[in-house]
Amino acid sequence: MKILVINCGSSSLKFQLINSEDENVLAKGLCERIGAEGSRLIYTAKDINKKEIDKELKDHTDAVALVLDTLTDKELGVIDSLNDVDAVGHRIVHGGENFAHSVLIDENVMKAIEECNDLAPLHNPANLIGIKACKELMPDKKMVAVFDTAFHQTMPEKAYMYGLPYEYYDKYKVRRYGFHGTSHSFVSERAAELAGRDLEDMKTIVCHLGNGASICAVENGKSVDTSMGLTPLEGVIMGTRSGSIDPAIIEFLANKEHISASEVVSVLNKKSGVLGLSGISSDFRDITAAMLDGDERAKMTLDAYCYVVAKYIGSYTAAMNGVDAIVFTAGLGENNSYVREQICSYFTFLGLEIDEDANQSREDEVKISSENSKVLVFKIATNEELKIAKETLALI
Ligand code: AMP
C-alpha cells in the first residue's frame, strides 16, 4: 500500500509518500511560502535530490495539486496515477479531549478538529485547510487524522490538572494536553524493541529535543506525564520558547516594557529560549560552536538547557517510581553528543553510565549507555511520518 502523509502549516505543506510494505519513502517534499511571493516545492525522490519547482501557490489546494502533479509526473513522478495512492494520513496538532486515537476523517471529525482551533490557533486551522484541499482533489480517498495530543490522553488527572480554579477546566478545558505524541509513541516503541524488552513492562523517559522540545514519561507503553501543556510553550527551554516560567513575569514585563500581555507571550514564544538567553541563535549548532570558542553566555545557555531537561527527567523518574530507559530524539537529541552527555551526568546517582564512543556514533539507533549502566540510554531517530503512515494503514 502507498500512503501519502501530509503535514500542513499556515504557509507550508510537508509530504511523504510511503510504501507501507518496506517502509520506504518513495518521495517527499516541502511546499513553502504558500499564499506569498516566491512559493515553491522542494522535491526529493529516487535519483532526484531537493529539486526546486517554482510555482505560484495561492493556497493549500494549489500546493496539494502541485504535489499530486509532481508525484504522477512522467519525469519526476514515482507513481502512474492517483489510483496508486491508497490513503492519506494527516498530522493534526490538537485533538483536545475529543481524540485519544487516530480516526478516519468524516464531517464530524472535521467539526471536532475545528472546535480545537482555540487551543492551537496557529496549527489546527492550517491542518484543516490541508484536509479540505485533499478532499477537493481526491474526494474518494480514505483519510486519517493522527493527533499530536492523542498519545497523552492516557495521562492521569493528577498529571494533567493545573492548580487553577476548577471552573476553568469545566468551562474552557484548560489542562495539560502535551504534544509530539506521535514521536514519543514511535520512539518509546523502538526503545523497547532495541532493549529486547516488553513495552508493557517498561518505564521510559523520552526527550524529544528539537527546536520545540518536550519530555514524556512512558509507563507500560502509555504516556503518564509530559512537559508541554495547554500549549507547546510550557516545559523545557526551547529554541525560541521560554518553557516554564513564573506566570507573574507576564504582568511584570507588560508593565515594565509598556506592552500587552499578548505581546509578552509573543516574546516568550519567539524571542526567548536559547535564542534569548545566548543572544546568538536558536540553533544549537551555533551555540555549541560559540561555547567551544570560549563564549561564556553560550556555555551558560547550554548549562541552563541541560539542567532543565535533567530536572524533568528527575521528576518523571519519581512520577514512575523508577526509570528503565532514557531516550534522546529529534534534531538536537539525535545529533548533539555534548548535550546528551551533560544531561546524563546528572544521573550517576542512579548508576547511569554513558559509553563515550557509542555517544559519538552517527547511526540512527544507538544504545549509548555502557554495559554496566543501571539505566539504558538510547539515541533514536524519530520518524513521525512513518508512524502516521502506519496508523493510517491500520485504520483503512
Ligand atoms: P528539529 O526541530 O527536530 O528539526 O531540531 C532542530 C534543532 O536540532 C536545530 O535547532 C539544531 O540546533 C539541532 N540540530 C539539527 N541537526 C544538528 C546537528 N547535526 N548537530 C547539532 N544539532 C543539530
Side-chain angles (χ1 to χ4, degrees), residues 36-251:
E37 239 174 70
S39 51
R40 60 183 185 163
L41 164 64
I42 303 167
Y43 178 81
T44 297
K46 192 167 172 280
D47 302 329
I48 302 165
N49 190 25
K50 295 197 173 168
K51 182 176 173 57
E52 290 177 21
I53 303 168
D54 294 314
K55 185 153 195 236
E56 188 192 354
L57 303 171
K58 285 189 305 301
D59 53 30
H60 286 72
T61 309
D62 280 357
V64 174
L66 177 59
V67 168
L68 299 180
D69 283 349
T70 311
L71 287 172
T72 52
D73 183 79
K74 281 216 158 47
E75 265 176 44
L76 303 173
V78 289
I79 49 175
D80 293 332
S81 78
L82 288 185
N83 291 336
D84 293 344
V85 175
D86 294 286
V88 184
H90 290 270
R91 178 202 180 205
I92 309 294
V93 167
H94 219 307
E97 289 187 326
N98 297 327
F99 300 103
H101 302 283
S102 305
V103 284
L104 274 170
I105 296 174
D106 61 17
E107 289 301 325
N108 288 334
V109 167
M110 287 172 69
K111 245 170 83 191
I113 294 172
E114 195 172 352
E115 281 166 17
C116 298
N117 278 359
D118 265 3
L119 295 169
L122 296 180
H123 295 99
N124 269 36
N127 299 157
L128 266 173
I129 289 170
I131 295 175
K132 286 177 186 157
C134 287
K135 256 176 113 71
E136 196 179 321
L137 297 167
M138 300 178 281
D140 301 328
K141 287 288 172 238
K142 283 194 172 151
M143 297 206 274
V144 169
V146 180
F147 300 89
D148 269 22
T149 48
F151 182 60
H152 303 297
Q153 281 294 304
T154 47
M155 279 189 291
E157 263 183 326
K158 66 180 177 187
Y160 71 69
M161 289 303 290
Y162 290 120
L164 289 169
Y166 195 85
E167 62 181 287
Y168 296 146
Y169 172 66
D170 262 352
K171 284 202 284 194
Y172 313 121
K173 296 285 170 232
V174 173
R175 50 158 283 181
R176 174 181 314 289
Y177 290 97
F179 299 87
H180 295 138
T182 314
S183 175
H184 289 301
S185 160
F186 176 83
V187 168
S188 53
E189 280 170 22
R190 284 300 301 143
E193 281 164 23
L194 291 174
R197 296 267 306 263
D198 186 356
L199 180 68
E200 303 295 320
D201 186 25
M202 234 181 130
K203 295 170 179 176
T204 306
I205 296 173
V206 180
C207 306
H208 178 111
L209 309 180
N211 194 29
S214 69
I215 319 296
C216 182
V218 185
E219 189 167 9
N220 307 335
K222 293 191 169 62
S223 169
V224 292
D225 206 345
T226 192
S227 58
M228 281 179 168
L230 175 79
T231 76
L233 184 54
E234 193 184 347
V236 298
I237 295 170
M238 304 178 215
T240 62
R241 295 186 200 129
S242 62
S244 297
I245 57 164
D246 178 346
I249 290 173
I250 295 174
E251 190 193 10

